[in-house]
């Protein structure tokens, strides 16, 4: 994008960037400002974080209960696997929360 | 609607056949109709926006370029340089959900993301795709993902099931987050809307609380627009994070 003479008939000799910078200064905007949106982080509001943690905690438990119940249902071993997978699911939920909120990651 | 003096907050989520008898015959509901509308709107934005191909973009072209650049930077910054390969997928996912959420804020429009069936299908698709990507890039080495480094081998029987459950729980957390946010927001709008009607009809004493409910509803609409954009973004960025894990393993 060094369009100095791209045939758009602007001020001769000046590059597009120079004209853009001049226009920005006329408008009172510093030239270094990025116009692109920067969205590389997850929301950090208290409600958002709380909801995220709650969903992480519960979802693993739901998967654990579902797997345990299904295994019991097909193997006719009720309630052995359900009891086992509730515990594993709870542990996985805590692991999920640790991954989100643990040290070095921040909220 | 507040028919018969009761608040039916969940009635708005029932499916009806759209497009008359043809829609009824093929079970084409208003949910499907809004999916089609959302897809067509995204295509129209890109097609109409990029038609002028101006060096200094107009409004629509700026919107199209901004959407491209935002999703592209999200892909590259989260996944890494390999993220370019997943750009079409992330872009489609993000704008489909965003349009679905935003269309739903419009009165009388249906929010298809407020159905767990829709969000669960998308989440299952994402997790299956992430797994397939990891398997293709790393082969069977992918399964080392479930065994954290530096852990005594004696703990493996306990840790591997926990890691697998944690991996599978992505499906639930991804889908429930979007679905619950959209459904709760629209149910709240319905409840406060019913308050306005019921209190407003209750005589002189009800006028002030009805006005307060109306004000709350106005604020809630603004909040819903924020949530609509935020949840689409969260869904897309979490997909990117999962893809990063799949591409880089640990």
């Amino acid at each position: 994008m060094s369009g100095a003479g791209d045939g758009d008939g602007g001020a001769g000799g000046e590059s597009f960037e120079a004209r853009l910078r001049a226009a920005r200064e006329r408008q009172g905007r510093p030239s270094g400002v990025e116009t692109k949106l920067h969205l590389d982080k997850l929301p950090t509001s208290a409600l958002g974080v709380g909801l995220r943690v709650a969903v992480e905690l519960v979802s693993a438990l739901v998967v654990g209960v579902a797997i345990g119940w299904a295994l019991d249902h097909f193997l006719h071993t009720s309630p052995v696997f359900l009891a086992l997978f509730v515990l594993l699911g709870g542990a996985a939920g805590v692991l999920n929360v640790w991954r989100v909120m643990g040290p070095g990651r921040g909220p | 609607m507040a028919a018969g003096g009761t608040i039916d907050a969940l009635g708005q989520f029932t499916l009806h056949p759209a497009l008359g008898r043809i829609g009824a015959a093929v079970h084409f509901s208003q949910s499907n109709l809004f999916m089609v509308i959302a897809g067509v709107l995204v295509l129209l934005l890109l097609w109409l926006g990029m038609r002028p191909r101006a060096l200094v973009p107009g409004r629509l072209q700026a919107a199209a370029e901004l959407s491209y650049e935002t999703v592209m930077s999200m892909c590259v910054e989260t996944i890494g340089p390999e993220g370019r390969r997943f750009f079409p997928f992330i872009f489609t996912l993000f704008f489909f959900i965003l349009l679905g959420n935003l269309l739903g804020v419009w009165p009388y429009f249906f929010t298809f993301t407020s159905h767990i069936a829709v969000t669960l299908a998308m989440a299952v698709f994402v997790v299956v795709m992430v797994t397939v990507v990891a398997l293709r890039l790393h082969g069977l080495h992918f399964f080392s993902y479930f065994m954290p480094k530096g852990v005594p081998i004696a703990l493996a029987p306990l840790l591997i099931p926990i890691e697998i459950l944690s991996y599978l729980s992505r499906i639930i957390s991804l889908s429930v987050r979007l679905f619950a946010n959209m459904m709760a927001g629209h149910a709240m709008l319905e409840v406060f809307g019913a308050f306005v009607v019921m209190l407003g009809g209750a005589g002189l004493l009800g006028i002030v609380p009805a006005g307060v409910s109306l004000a709350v509803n106005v604020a809630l609409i603004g909040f819903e627009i924020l949530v609509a954009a935020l949840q689409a973004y969260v869904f897309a960025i979490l997909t990117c994070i999962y893809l990063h894990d799949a591409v880089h393993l640990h």
Side-chain angles (χ1 to χ4, degrees), chain B residues 125-179:
Chain B
F125 186 82
V126 165
V127 170
V128 168
M129 197 202 69
V130 166
T131 312
V132 168
V133 165
L135 278 173
R136 275 203 50 186
L137 285 180
H138 301 282
L140 292 178
H141 187 67
F142 160 68
F143 291 102
S144 73
Y145 184 77
F146 296 119
M147 184 64 196
K149 280 199 191 92
V151 173
I153 201 79
L155 279 175
L158 185 63
L159 275 179
I160 289 175
I162 291 178
E163 288 282 348
I164 292 176
L165 279 179
S166 169
Y167 188 80
L168 289 178
S169 75
R170 288 172 173 183
I171 300 174
I172 307 289
S173 64
L174 204 56
S175 58
V176 167
R177 189 179 296 113
L178 177 59
F179 145 76

Side-chain angles (χ1 to χ4, degrees), chain A residues 2-86:
Chain A
S2 61
D6 275 343
D8 49 350
E14 275 186 290
S15 72
F16 175 73
E17 267 80 15
R19 280 185 287 140
L20 184 64
R21 211 174 303 125
R24 278 210 170 121
E25 266 156 24
R26 267 203 307 281
Q27 301 273 334
R29 282 181 220 177
S31 56
V33 169
E34 281 280 320
T35 46
K36 203 175 58 174
L37 286 180
H38 265 290
L39 300 168
D40 52 348
K41 270 197 246 152
L42 285 171
T44 52
S45 75
L47 184 69
V49 172
L51 211 64
R52 181 141 186 253
V53 166
V55 169
E56 295 285 356
L57 197 60
V58 174
S59 60
L61 193 61
V62 168
V63 173
V65 168
I67 292 177
W69 186 87
L71 282 176
D72 274 341
H73 183 77
F74 290 115
L75 301 174
H76 303 289
T77 52
S78 181
V80 177
F81 283 107
L82 185 57
L84 186 67
F85 273 89
V86 165

Side-chain angles (χ1 to χ4, degrees), chain B residues 63-74:
Chain B
E65 286 180 2
L66 186 69
S67 62
Y68 172 88
E69 280 173 11
T70 306
V71 177
M72 185 55 113
S73 73
M74 187 159 93

Side-chain angles (χ1 to χ4, degrees), chain B residues 104-107 186 189 215-227:
Chain B
V105 184
W106 200 269
H186 284 266
L189 281 178
V216 169
N217 232 352
V218 170
L220 273 179
I221 287 279
F223 186 66
E224 272 304 295
I225 295 172
L226 173 74
V227 166

